[in-house]
Structures are given as structure tokens and as C-alpha cells.
Amino acid sequence: MVSPLFVANWKMNMLKAEAEAFCKEFRSLLKEFNSREPDVGIAPPLSCFSVVQRAFAEVPGVLVGAQNCHWMPSGAHTGEVSAEMLVDLRADFAIVGHSERRQFYGETDQTVAQRAAAVLAKGMRAIVCVGETQEQFEAGKTKEVVKQQLEGSLAGLADASFERLVLAYEPVWAIGTGLTATPEIAEEVHDFIRDLLLQNFGPEAGERIPIQYGGSTKADNIAGLMAKKNINGALVGGASLKPDSFAALIHKGREAA
Ligand code: PGA
């Protein structure tokens, strides 16, 4: 069985004081922290990274990560952060290839692959996001798009990295819209992704890589999704901004896994 992972993607939200208040309440709401196989992660904006990290320093069950990572160690790359810098912050993971980065900031499969490789090479987990737009979904191109993104975004990664690789399937039409993919629609794509992972990276790695679902997940719809074999957690935007809704989603998701 693949260990599930529920990750908060705060995007460009939360001031330091808000993050501090969130962490305090979230710690008391989350009944259990699984320190052997952490199943919770938070990706705050870098401006409140240390606030979140400090709050969970004594809680090995909660991973703290970044929302992106550049492939170069340093240099003239205004607005970017490197894997070296994330290690310096003691980040556990970085999200790469989120659809907002792909849609609005020019990320391509090639740059996503470079970013993922840098994150993994530095010993962090990389959450690599893929997902089709509404237009592509309606044109029946979901699998074609997901295959191309997945193979392109994982191109050239060393076999050894797969231990720390996480995939996130996030249909663009479901992100922040309140429209979640039904568990059946999501599982069909997750099953397809599992097959691609098995074909491309072998049975060992292919079986163990968690595949998160993302797109308007909340406490009310997570159980149906998590009951599916190849849905191994969630990348959560809106519902992760309030401690009670994120904790409730995790409790329901764990129960259903
Ligand atoms: P959402 O965002 O849960 O608000 O739809 C998910 C994501 O963008 O990762």
C-alpha cells in the first residue's frame, strides 16, 4: 500500500501572524502526527516559511516545503529560489509544475523536469503536478495531455530519486472552482498514471510513488476520493487555509484510505 500524503498549498496567502495562528490551532486539532511516515505537509509562501517550520520543529510528522524551486544553485534569476537555498531553510519538499506556474508563468515540461531533478538531487521530496485544462478535458484529451506532461516532467530523473517522488494529478478545471472530479473520473486518470509509472520506471518505483489528487478537495469529498486504490492523498489549496477545514479533510482522508 502507498502511504498517503495530504499537503497544504497556501499559494500567495497568509501573513506571518496568520500563519502563526493557523499552526497553533492546527497542532491542537490534528489528533495524531505520524512520525514514522509523515502524512501531512504544508507549503507556505517563503515569507512565512520559518514561522511554519518553527511551529512544527518538534513534530516530525509534518513536512514543510516550498511552492517552487529553480534548477541552478545560484545566479542571476530574479524572483527564484534554489534547491541549495531550500536545503539551507531545511525544507522537506518542493512542489514543481503546478498548473498556475505552467499557465501563467511559462513553465514547460522541460523546466519542470529540471526543477524536479534539482529538488530530488538535494534529498528533498518533489511533488510534480500534472493536469489537463477544461478545454482538453472536454475534447477527451485528458490521458494524452497527462502522459505528455508526466513523461516530459520526469525526463532524465535518476532511478534513485523515485523514493522521494510524489505525483499530483490536478485537473485545471477543478482547481479553485468548487468542481471536484468525481472519484471515478479521478481514479481513471490515477490508474492511467500508475500504469505509466510502472511502464516507464519499473515495478519497484512505479508501485510506491504516491499519486495525490488536487482540485477543490475538502472534508466533504475527500473520503470518496481516498477510497480509490490509486488516490494516495491530496494537494489542497482553498481548504488548507483554515486549520479546521484542513484538519477535518486529513481526518476524513485518513479514515477512508
Ligand atoms: P484548490 O487548489 O484545492 O483550491 O482547488 C488545489 C491546488 O491548486 O493545488
Side-chain angles (χ1 to χ4, degrees):
M1 197 188 123
V2 187
S3 313
L5 184 61
F6 302 93
V7 173
N9 174 12
W10 283 358
K11 308 189 181 183
M12 197 172 71
N13 294 293
M14 296 272 198
L15 298 178
K16 285 193 288 181
E18 293 168 326
E20 205 153 339
F22 175 104
C23 293
K24 195 160 168 243
E25 198 184 333
F26 183 66
R27 277 185 65 147
S28 68
L29 287 171
L30 201 62
K31 296 193 196 96
E32 253 172 74
F33 295 96
N34 185 355
S35 55
R36 271 186 302 131
E37 191 53 62
D39 67 347
V40 176
I42 300 180
L46 287 180
S47 52
C48 51
F49 190 93
S50 45
V51 169
V52 178
Q53 196 177 53
R54 222 176 304 122
F56 294 105
E58 315 278 290
V59 186
V62 178
L63 307 172
V64 185
Q67 298 174 14
N68 206 356
C69 176
H70 198 269
W71 57 91
M72 295 292 285
S74 60
H77 300 283
T78 304
E80 293 280 345
V81 65
S82 71
E84 270 74 1
M85 291 166 180
L86 294 182
V87 169
D88 201 28
L89 286 177
R90 284 175 288 116
D92 298 302
F93 69 91
I95 299 168
V96 294
H98 189 279
S99 66
E100 286 150 17
R101 303 292 321 167
R102 291 178 186 264
Q103 267 190 301
F104 307 122
Y105 301 98
E107 304 251 343
T108 62
D109 292 338
Q110 197 197 347
T111 58
V112 175
Q114 287 176 284
R115 290 175 191 276
V119 172
L120 293 167
K122 284 289 166 193
M124 294 176 282
R125 299 179 200 220
I127 301 180
V128 177
C129 307
V130 296
E132 81 287 1
T133 62
Q134 173 134 29
E135 218 179 18
Q136 292 164 334
F137 174 71
E138 283 166 3
K141 293 195 170 147
T142 299
K143 288 184 183 170
E144 189 188 315
V145 170
V146 164
K147 181 175 192 304
Q148 190 190 331
Q149 287 183 345
L150 186 140
E151 292 181 348
S153 304
L154 301 183
L157 296 187
D159 288 353
S161 312
F162 290 112
E163 293 260 307
R164 296 184 307 279
L165 181 64
V166 178
L167 255 286
Y169 168 60
E170 299 202 297
V172 177
W173 50 269
I175 296 178
T177 58
L179 289 174
T180 324
T182 62
E184 291 66 34
I185 292 179
E187 176 63 3
E188 194 182 331
V189 184
H190 281 238
D191 189 50
F192 176 71
I193 293 176
R194 179 68 67 210
D195 275 350
L196 286 175
L197 293 172
L198 290 167
Q199 276 166 34
N200 285 275
F201 311 113
E204 221 357 63
E207 276 300 348
R208 295 218 316 267
I209 298 168
I211 310 171
Q212 298 178 309
Y213 169 80
S216 299
T217 52
K218 45 188 191 223
D220 291 351
N221 59 26
I222 193 71
L225 291 159
M226 289 300 296
K228 297 292 183 190
K229 178 167 173 271
N230 289 301
I231 301 184
N232 318 120
L235 186 55
V236 188
S240 75
L241 293 172
K242 293 269 182 303
D244 51 351
S245 59
F246 189 42
L249 181 149
I250 294 167
H251 287 142
K252 292 254 159 84
R254 281 173 173 170
E255 265 167 38

